[in-house]
Amino acid sequence: MRVEKQIKEAVLDGKLQPGDFLGSENDLAEQFQVSRLPIREAMGRLQALGVVDVRTGAGGGTRIANGNDAPVVEALAIQLKLIGVGSDEVFDAQLIIEASAAELAAKLANADDIAKMEACLARVEELVSSPEDFTPEKLTTASLAFHQSIVDASHNQFLSSIMKAISYVLYRSVNPYTTPAVGKRLVQRHRKMLAAIVARDGELARQLLTDHVAKVRAKHGAADKNAAGN
């Protein structure tokens, strides 16, 4: 555990950077004055966390990994469900994260960000206008991708990663209520959000996003009540 802790702390302190070479198993055993077994166990745990890359053979050894939030985001989403996070808490988190991100996006979005948002919204519009291609799963995925593109346009990597975890959980809350009629309303709201961001109106972008989440949340709550009544 001492080996693992020291390497984690060095990464958090910025003393170790992605790509830094830590050495071979023998090198690390000598550096930490332990046998190879605890080194192997520590590197296995760190590799599972995405902290290091371990390569065997000629030219192998252990390096600090390049960042990849995908495994952590999925694991966080699963843990949120396991600890009992409910739909209301997810909607609260979405509102806090995405409303702030929308305001930042209005200030910071560049041409590539706007093109990405446009492409995501075009996919939503395509599904709404093509009944033969529509499925709730496709539209929910496309809509959440648009929301993710807004957060990504804030250029805040922390917000982007948290939004990915929120989307994992949110998908299962909204997908059962996604219909073509809902899709048409989504397109209208999304188009207004994007226009506000393009116009650099952060206050309006925040307000539109806030109103949108409130409407989705209200529909989700009403549908749950109806289901309970039946």
Side-chain angles (χ1 to χ4, degrees):
M1 294 296 289
R2 175 174 64 88
V3 175
E4 182 181 349
K5 181 180 179 182
Q6 286 187 27
I7 292 174
K8 285 179 181 176
E9 289 181 346
V11 171
L12 291 171
D13 290 341
K15 296 176 182 177
L16 288 174
Q17 300 292 325
D20 283 354
F21 186 63
L22 301 182
S24 66
E25 194 173 275
N26 285 334
D27 294 334
L28 289 166
E30 182 176 349
Q31 177 183 338
F32 287 99
Q33 294 297 293
V34 295
S35 68
R36 292 171 58 186
L37 180 58
I39 293 295
R40 191 176 305 130
E41 292 174 342
M43 294 308 108
R45 289 190 294 270
L46 290 171
Q47 188 171 29
L49 289 173
V51 178
V52 300
D53 285 328
V54 180
R55 299 181 182 180
T56 59
T62 301
R63 294 182 182 275
I64 298 299
N66 292 315
N68 177 16
D69 66 359
V72 178
V73 163
E74 186 175 17
L76 175 58
I78 291 170
Q79 290 301 319
L80 290 174
K81 292 300 293 184
L82 290 175
I83 65 174
V85 169
S87 295
D88 281 342
E89 292 171 288
V90 177
F91 284 120
D92 284 342
Q94 181 193 12
L95 180 58
I96 292 167
I97 295 294
E98 201 174 350
S100 297
E103 191 168 6
L104 284 172
K107 297 177 183 178
L108 302 174
N110 57 35
D112 288 341
D113 297 321
I114 292 170
K116 180 181 177 183
M117 287 185 279
E118 286 281 7
C120 289
L121 182 50
R123 177 56 179 158
V124 176
E125 292 173 329
E126 178 186 0
L127 288 168
V128 170
S129 62
S130 304
E132 67 281 359
D133 193 32
F134 172 87
T135 67
E137 293 78 13
K138 287 181 180 179
L139 183 56
T140 301
T141 299
S143 178
L144 289 174
F146 173 73
H147 283 269
Q148 184 67 50
S149 72
I150 290 176
V151 181
D152 291 345
S154 74
H155 291 268
N156 185 305
Q157 294 181 78
F158 186 82
L159 293 181
S160 290
S161 293
I162 296 299
M163 186 61 194
K164 289 175 187 176
I166 290 171
S167 293
Y168 264 107
V169 184
L170 194 61
Y171 175 91
R172 285 156 180 82
S173 294
V174 300
N175 187 63
Y177 315 111
T178 302
T179 65
V182 167
K184 291 178 181 179
R185 292 193 291 272
L186 286 177
V187 167
Q188 293 173 351
R189 293 181 210 151
H190 289 176
R191 183 55 68 185
K192 289 178 182 179
M193 289 181 220
L194 179 54
I197 291 171
V198 172
R200 305 297 180 187
D201 192 335
E203 184 177 350
L204 179 58
R206 172 185 278 274
Q207 188 58 56
L208 289 169
L209 195 287
T210 299
D211 292 346
H212 170 69
V213 173
K215 288 173 181 176
V216 173
R217 185 175 192 165
K219 182 174 181 61
H220 177 270
D224 279 354
K225 286 180 181 179
N226 290 337
N230 293 333

